[in-house]
Amino acid sequence: MPHRARLVHLPPRRGRDLCHQAFRQTLDVLRITDEALEDLCCECPRLPDLDSLVLRALDEMTLGEPQGRTRSPSHVFLVHARQDEFEGMLYRASPQGFRPVAPPIRLTADETHAFSVDAEDVTVSNYRDEGTDLEAYQARFHPEVRRLVGEPIRNYVSYRVAGDRPGAIIAFNYPDRATRYEAQVLAALAVTLGTVWTLGSRVAQVEEAFVYLIGALARASEANDEVTGDHIVRVSRYCEVLARAAGYPEGEARVLAYSSQLHDVGKIHTPRELLRKPGPLTPAELALMQEHTLHGEKIIGTSPRLAMARRIAGAHHENWDGSGYPRGLRGEEIPREARLVKIVDVYDALRSPRPYKPALSHEQAMEVFTAGDHRTRPDEHFDPELLRIFRDIHEEFRRIHAEIQPW
Ligand SMILES: [Fe+2]
Ligand SMILES: [Fe+2]
């Protein structure tokens, strides 16, 4: 629903203050949008922190007023649609700005008292003008809101918030009276909130689609392989727990988890007969197979959002001692996330049946990580620190493997 501005008649000084306020709010919206976009266009994107943006916008509403002219309400209630119901958050004014009073309150559509998300844009109400007594006036407000405000509500201004998550701002108990001037200040806040909420929900949708497509591409590329889609899911889960245990910040562990799914995406170019060949590969076949790392890098491309996926695809077969492929990198030359995926990938390969070998139990797989076998030499192939962390949390791997079985 488009936002409709309303004309009000104000004394010149107030009109000028209001223009400044609206201008500041517009700049704030632009700055918030810009920061959110910057946070998204990097390797480890962060979704905008809506709560702190809302608080900032609220504080600007009153703390930004010229000294001595502050007309702050005692409480502000922000309500937005959430599936079939509404969620409201009550904030109390303090010298430091507005602070949340309690956890969010859930409201059904007929509990939305004193505001409407589909009727008037703005309501300005003072109980004295309504021909009612103060006690009867309280019935307009949700009982939980009344309880949390903790004093009789004498006036309020409600402004509708338009956008993807429609809602309303209701400000209670202005000193003396609520007027149209307060409503115009709220209008600026309503525009800011509408933008922030819409931006937040669209960003979340795009992010969800992005992560989904990565998984879909990974599954599609493994269609010819002897492994099944559950390998990808398990690798992603193992990576997340190992990354957390290895000290990756939460956001990076999440990026690592979804990026790891593309480690073998280059196998889309590997001939199917090779992927399913039961016996050992000839040197020429082996060289062809090893090219999946380079194909993976090419497929993933150079987007900063996929930089980690690219590093993993290119280096997950490098060995700590330099004996791996495709570049023979050694030690810390190998990107850390690729060293981590290598451990995870080997563990899952050992636990899975192949045309040329049965699946190992968790204990047998852990034995390979200690003593090695004809293909794996733990001390030479793996990052020693990550190997130690993996051994510390190996029970998590057993649990994930038991949880995610072939389709
Ligand atoms: Fe691979
Ligand atoms: Fe794999």
Side-chain angles (χ1 to χ4, degrees), residues 213-227:
L213 283 176
I214 286 181
L217 175 62
R219 283 193 298 278
S221 70
E222 301 240 329
N224 283 337
D225 205 343
E226 82 273 29
V227 299

Side-chain angles (χ1 to χ4, degrees), residues 8-50:
V8 288
H9 298 288
L10 293 167
R13 173 88 191 269
R14 277 195 164 187
R16 201 189 55 205
D17 290 346
L18 200 55
C19 280
H20 284 164
Q21 174 107 13
F23 183 63
R24 242 194 357 255
Q25 293 276 4
T26 309
L27 282 181
D28 205 38
V29 171
L30 290 174
R31 202 170 53 237
I32 288 167
T33 312
D34 190 49
E35 283 170 14
L37 290 177
E38 205 162 283
D39 281 350
L40 286 171
C41 295
C42 60
E43 190 172 305
C44 295
R46 280 185 297 130
L47 295 181
D49 175 0
L50 293 187

Side-chain angles (χ1 to χ4, degrees), residues 32-248:
I32 288 167
T33 312
D34 190 49
E35 283 170 14
L37 290 177
E38 205 162 283
D39 281 350
L40 286 171
C41 295
C42 60
E43 190 172 305
C44 295
R46 280 185 297 130
L47 295 181
D49 175 0
L50 293 187
D51 291 344
S52 71
L53 295 181
V54 166
L55 274 180
R56 231 166 74 192
L58 270 176
D59 288 349
E60 291 229 349
M61 183 176 80
T62 49
L63 301 182
E65 289 270 288
Q67 272 290 318
R69 291 178 42 76
T70 302
R71 294 263 306 146
S72 170
S74 74
H75 292 79
V76 172
F77 191 44
L78 299 184
V79 183
H80 61 76
R82 202 186 169 93
Q83 281 144 10
D84 294 339
E85 49 182 22
F86 292 89
E87 188 176 282
M89 191 79 177
L90 186 72
Y91 299 85
R92 180 180 293 128
S94 78
Q96 292 74 39
F98 282 93
R99 295 293 171 264
V101 175
I105 302 169
R106 292 286 169 89
L107 308 162
T108 60
D110 39 342
E111 276 183 328
T112 51
H113 310 60
F115 75 89
S116 170
V117 292
D118 50 22
E120 283 293 294
D121 276 352
V122 59
T123 306
V124 179
S125 171
N126 292 281
Y127 90 92
R128 285 207 180 90
D129 303 340
E130 307 262 344
T132 176
D133 64 27
L134 190 56
E135 203 181 318
Y137 191 67
Q138 305 310 302
R140 294 186 179 198
F141 311 104
H142 190 277
E144 189 59 9
V145 172
R146 271 180 353 228
R147 191 182 71 76
L148 292 169
V149 169
E151 59 180 5
I153 297 171
R154 297 177 307 278
N155 59 56
Y156 70 90
V157 176
S158 158
Y159 213 102
R160 191 168 64 82
V161 176
D164 284 8
R165 291 167 72 193
I169 311 168
I170 308 107
F172 300 114
N173 283 352
Y174 286 91
D176 190 22
R177 298 175 54 78
T179 68
R180 283 265 159 187
Y181 173 70
E182 275 76 47
Q184 290 304 309
V185 173
L186 278 199
L189 181 60
V191 173
T192 308
L193 287 185
T195 307
V196 167
W197 284 343
T198 299
L199 180 71
S201 78
R202 292 198 186 168
V203 162
Q205 283 168 19
V206 171
E207 186 64 12
E208 202 176 297
F210 176 76
V211 173
Y212 172 80
L213 283 176
I214 286 181
L217 175 62
R219 283 193 298 278
S221 70
E222 301 240 329
N224 283 337
D225 205 343
E226 82 273 29
V227 299
T228 52
D230 54 297
H231 169 66
I232 296 298
V233 179
R234 281 193 302 266
V235 163
S236 171
R237 290 275 303 278
Y238 299 138
C239 276
E240 196 161 2
V241 298
L242 187 53
R244 284 211 192 103
Y248 279 82

